[in-house]
Amino acid sequence: PIESALTELKEVNLPGATAAAAFDMAVSGFVTMGKATAYDGVVSEQVARVLTGGDTDITQPVTEKKLLELERQGNEMDDRQSGPDQAAQELKGSIEMPVYNAPVKDFKFVLNDLLGLDKMTNMPGFEDATPDMIDAILEEGGKLMSEVIQPLNQVGDKEGCTWKDGEVTTPTGFKEAYDEYRGAGWMGLDADPEYGGQGLPHVIGIAFAEMMSAANMAFGMYPGLTHGAYAAIHKHGTDEQKQTWLPKMVTGDWTGTMNLTEPQCGTDLGLMRTKAVPQDDGSYKITGTKIFISAGEHDMADNIVHLVLAKIPGGPEGIKGVSLFIVPKFLLDENGDPKTRNGVECGSIEHKMGIHGNSTCVMNYDDATGWLLGDAHKGMRAMFTMMNAARLGVGIQGLSQAEVAYQNA
C-alpha cells in the first residue's frame, strides 16, 4: 500500500510542505489509517484520497502527541501484519474533537480557599455571593460552555464570518447560542442592578469570562467588548445616557465596541483624522474610518453601541484634542427602540487567525450621529476605562487558552 500511495502521490500537484508531510506519513505507515492527518494539522482531501484509498474523513486536527501515538499504533499493527482494511477499522475514530470541561473544582479552590470569598458575604456587593450561589453559577456556566459554546469553536474557525453589502453574518449556530446565553441572563452577571444586572462581584464575572474564552474565544469577544463599553458608559456617562443605553446592554439585546485605530494611526492616536462636528441639538456628526474593530458588525443583536474616538474641530492638537462619542448602529425612536439606520457601515472584515468567528471590521462613519461621552477633549480618560477592561480580558484569554490547551494535550 505504501508503494502504491507514493506512486500516486508523485502525480499530485501539492505545495511542498503538504507533500512532504504526506510523504512522511506514507513512509511511516499512515497509509493504513482510517483518517489521514499531517504534521501541520489537517492534510488536503486530495492527499487523503491517495493515502486512505478514498476515506477522507479528515476534519479533525491532530496534536503532536496524538500523532506519535497513532504512529506507534500503526507500527504495532504492521508488526502483527494486519491488512489495510483491518488497520483502518482499528484506527478509525481515534482522533477526537477538541474538548473543554470547565475546571469548576479549581475555580472553587481559588475563590474560596485562596480569596476567601465565602467569608466576604457581609461586605457591600458580596451579600448574594454565597457559596451555594457561586457553586450553582460555576456548574451551570460550565455546562453552557462545554455543551453549547465550545462545539461552535471549530465551526467558527472553519466557516468564519461573512460580509456582504455592509452586513456581517456570524458562523452557523452562533446566533442561536448567543440567544441562549442572553436569554439565561448571563450578560448581566456582575452588572449594576440599577440597570438590570445581578450585582454579583466582578471576580465571579471574570471566572465566567475565563470559561467562555476557553470554550470559544471568538464567541466570547462579542459579550466581552460589550462589558467594556458598558463599563465606560457606566463610569463616564450622564444619567440620561446610562438610562438610554445600559439596560439593553446588560441584557445583551445590544452589544458594544470600541473604535480607536485608523489606517494611518495605530498606537499614536493623536494622528487620528476622524472628526466630530457639533450640532445645534447637542449631538455631533461623526465622519472617518476605523480599522480592526472587533464585533463591529454582526447579526446577533438588535443594536450595536459603538464608542468612537474623534476630534472636535478647533480643539487642541494631538492626543489632547481627542474626545469619545456614543455612536449607535441604529438611532432610537421616542420609545427608546432601534429604528433609523445611522451613518455607520462595515466596509469589510479582516480574517484574524484563531478568531475567524469574530467579526473584525473596517468601520466607515459618514455624518453618523453621536453623543459626547465624558468631557470634550478628554476622550482618552473615558476610553481607558474600556481599554483597561480589555487588558484584563486579554490576560484572561491567555490563561483560558493555556487551560484548554492543557486539557487537549
Side-chain angles (χ1 to χ4, degrees):
I2 293 176
E3 291 179 0
S4 174
L6 292 179
T7 299
E8 294 185 49
L9 191 59
K10 292 177 182 178
E11 301 175 0
V12 180
N13 184 20
L14 295 168
T18 305
F23 181 90
D24 201 11
M25 287 166 55
V27 298
S28 297
F30 280 80
V31 72
T32 60
M33 285 177 56
K35 294 186 177 181
T37 57
Y39 290 111
D40 61 347
V42 179
V43 71
S44 71
E45 288 193 14
Q46 200 171 17
V47 176
R49 291 191 186 95
V50 173
L51 297 182
T52 65
D55 186 350
T56 58
D57 186 5
I58 47 128
T59 59
Q60 306 308 321
V62 61
T63 64
E64 182 178 358
K65 180 179 178 182
K66 174 64 75 174
L67 192 62
L68 292 173
E69 174 62 16
L70 290 172
E71 184 175 6
R72 183 189 65 77
Q73 294 179 27
N75 290 336
E76 288 179 357
M77 291 177 188
D78 287 343
D79 292 339
R80 296 196 304 267
Q81 297 183 339
S82 300
D85 292 340
Q86 179 182 344
Q89 288 299 319
E90 292 189 31
L91 284 172
K92 193 167 186 177
S94 60
I95 303 175
E96 299 176 353
M97 288 278 288
V99 298
Y100 173 69
N101 295 304
V104 173
K105 185 177 179 180
D106 292 343
F107 281 127
K108 291 179 180 179
F109 172 75
V110 171
L111 293 173
N112 295 323
D113 295 291
L114 291 184
L115 300 182
L117 202 64
D118 55 341
K119 300 178 179 65
M120 298 181 185
T121 53
N122 60 337
M123 296 176 61
F126 287 78
E127 298 90 346
D128 295 328
T130 62
D132 289 344
M133 173 65 77
I134 294 173
D135 287 354
I137 290 172
L138 295 175
E139 294 286 352
E140 292 305 312
K143 288 180 183 179
L144 177 69
M145 297 308 143
S146 62
E147 297 175 5
V148 178
I149 307 301
Q150 193 279 335
L152 295 174
N153 192 31
Q154 198 168 41
V155 176
D157 188 59
K158 292 186 175 181
E159 184 177 321
C161 293
T162 55
W163 177 94
K164 183 178 181 181
D165 298 331
E167 303 287 340
V168 173
T169 303
T170 51
T172 302
F174 268 49
K175 189 177 189 303
E176 292 76 12
Y178 184 79
D179 287 342
E180 184 170 343
Y181 158 82
R182 174 178 56 182
W186 291 109
M187 191 73 186
L189 199 62
D190 56 351
D192 190 340
E194 183 175 350
Y195 306 104
Q198 299 174 42
L200 289 167
H202 186 56
V203 68
I204 304 300
I206 289 292
F208 185 82
E210 182 192 328
M211 291 185 196
M212 179 171 287
S213 184
N216 191 332
M217 193 174 88
F219 183 93
M221 290 174 67
Y222 292 101
L225 270 295
T226 306
H227 276 290
Y230 159 87
I233 297 174
H234 188 267
K235 183 173 179 62
H236 302 282
T238 65
D239 289 340
E240 182 181 2
Q241 287 174 335
K242 293 177 186 178
Q243 292 295 338
T244 299
W245 305 108
L246 293 186
K248 291 291 187 180
M249 295 176 75
V250 168
T251 61
D253 291 337
W254 301 347
T255 59
T257 71
M258 62 176 180
N259 290 233
L260 290 77
T261 307
E262 298 183 5
Q264 78 289 345
C265 67
T267 56
D268 190 356
L269 295 175
L271 298 176
M272 73 173 54
R273 297 172 184 164
T274 300
K275 63 180 181 180
V277 179
Q279 304 297 299
D280 293 338
D281 62 358
S283 66
Y284 290 78
K285 290 296 184 182
I286 315 295
T287 300
T289 296
K290 300 290 184 176
I291 62 174
F292 304 135
I293 309 307
S294 300
E297 168 63 26
H298 56 83
D299 58 354
M300 300 195 300
D302 297 331
N303 206 357
I304 302 175
V305 183
H306 302 290
L307 298 191
V308 183
L309 287 178
K311 289 184 175 181
I312 301 172
E317 293 294 324
I319 198 69
K320 294 182 178 179
V322 172
S323 302
L324 184 61
F325 299 87
I326 299 173
V327 187
K329 176 180 177 179
F330 289 98
L331 299 174
L332 309 182
D333 61 17
E334 61 277 6
N335 297 318
D337 298 320
K339 183 179 181 181
T340 306
R341 184 65 188 259
N342 204 356
V344 53
E345 186 175 78
C346 175
S348 64
I349 57 175
E350 309 289 346
H351 301 281
K352 286 188 176 181
M353 182 172 66
I355 54 170
H356 295 152
N358 189 272
S359 54
T360 306
C361 303
V362 173
M363 301 301 298
N364 297 319
Y365 294 85
D366 185 9
D367 274 347
T369 299
W371 293 268
L372 183 67
L373 178 61
D375 298 327
H377 316 308
K378 302 294 183 183
M380 292 306 298
R381 178 184 301 173
M383 179 57 82
F384 259 100
T385 298
M386 185 170 191
M387 290 174 67
N388 285 338
R391 287 168 172 169
L392 291 173
V394 170
I396 290 297
Q397 287 174 347
L399 173 63
S400 67
Q401 295 310 298
E403 169 64 32
V404 74
Y406 176 77
Q407 289 191 19
N408 287 275

